[in-house]
Amino acid sequence: MRRLAVAAVALGGCLALAVPTGTAGAAPADPVPTVFFGDSYTANYGISPVNNQDNERGWCFQATQNYPAVATRSLAGKGITLDVQSDVSCGGALVEHFWTEQQLPFGAGRVPAQQDALKEDTKLVVGGMGGNTLGFTSILKQCSDELRKHPLLPGEPVDPDQPAGECRDFFASDDGKAWLDDRLQQVEWDLEQLLQRVSYFSPDAERVLVGYPRLVPEDTTKCLTPAPGQTEPPFADTPKDALPLLDQIQKQLDDAMKKAAADDGADFVDLYDRTGNNTACDGADRGIGGLLENSKLDLFGQSLPWYAHPNEKGRDIQAKYVTAKIEEVLNR
């Protein structure tokens, strides 16, 4: 009842939402009006240069060559032209920023709700959100004394009074587990809202929700060794016994995203299941930059860390699987 009530209000009383279906045939001959949305993993924070350096959107840290740009170029080589109406992906975005404006860091201003980019003639909507709504940066800071020393890095510990070295037990306890369960439920609910809103504002659009690449490998002993050229382990001082916990939480996030997409008839790009050999702990093969490893960005002359975001290799992996999914969707 809660979901029906909120959806009715949010979507102007429209209780029956059109869900787009694929049509048989070859790839479209005409350019496909497309909107990309998402958070820092779609914007590809950490990769330089960034778009919109002359206005407040520069604080979204959206890479000029983020995976939407790379995938668009790759599809063009396959004879599929995307008419990109907008790429509104922005670092730090919560799922709710799809329908509400987002406050940028350091008082840099606000950006409009991402859904404002949708048009009635939009035929393809692609992107991913959920990690910030889950509070993954807060989970990381709950498990690291070193990260707690960096106030400019986003996120606050879930409970700063609890020692970072005991974070595994914290998230298994009543308070920590209840916090995590609530956040996962919120992610799923908000993503359902997001997908419904896409169908409302762009009723003919195919919807592709993109998941997150895997951060922690199955063999967590690899995470105890710095990557080539680095001095810090990929997850800094995160306790060894907490690394499987981080992976478990990310898998729960992936499952919540997958379920939201399936329940709403959208397509899903499952990057978690495809990136087990390119985690932050895979050395030269890593597709994820370490928590404190310098990225390609700097702020006020100081290098910004990757903070567990895709590097160029990871960006290309994202683009590869997003390209394949878009091609599949547009060819069916």
Side-chain angles (χ1 to χ4, degrees), residues 234-257:
F235 288 96
D237 63 333
T238 301
K240 180 182 177 182
D241 67 1
L243 293 172
L245 168 73
L246 295 182
D247 187 48
Q248 176 188 343
I249 292 173
Q250 193 189 4
K251 183 64 168 65
Q252 290 177 293
L253 172 61
D254 187 72
D255 289 343
M257 297 180 73

Side-chain angles (χ1 to χ4, degrees), residues 135-139 141 147-148 150-157 307:
F136 203 81
T137 56
S138 293
I139 295 168
K141 285 197 171 180
L147 291 183
R148 296 186 192 194
H150 294 268
L152 292 181
L153 291 176
E156 296 293 337
Y307 209 34

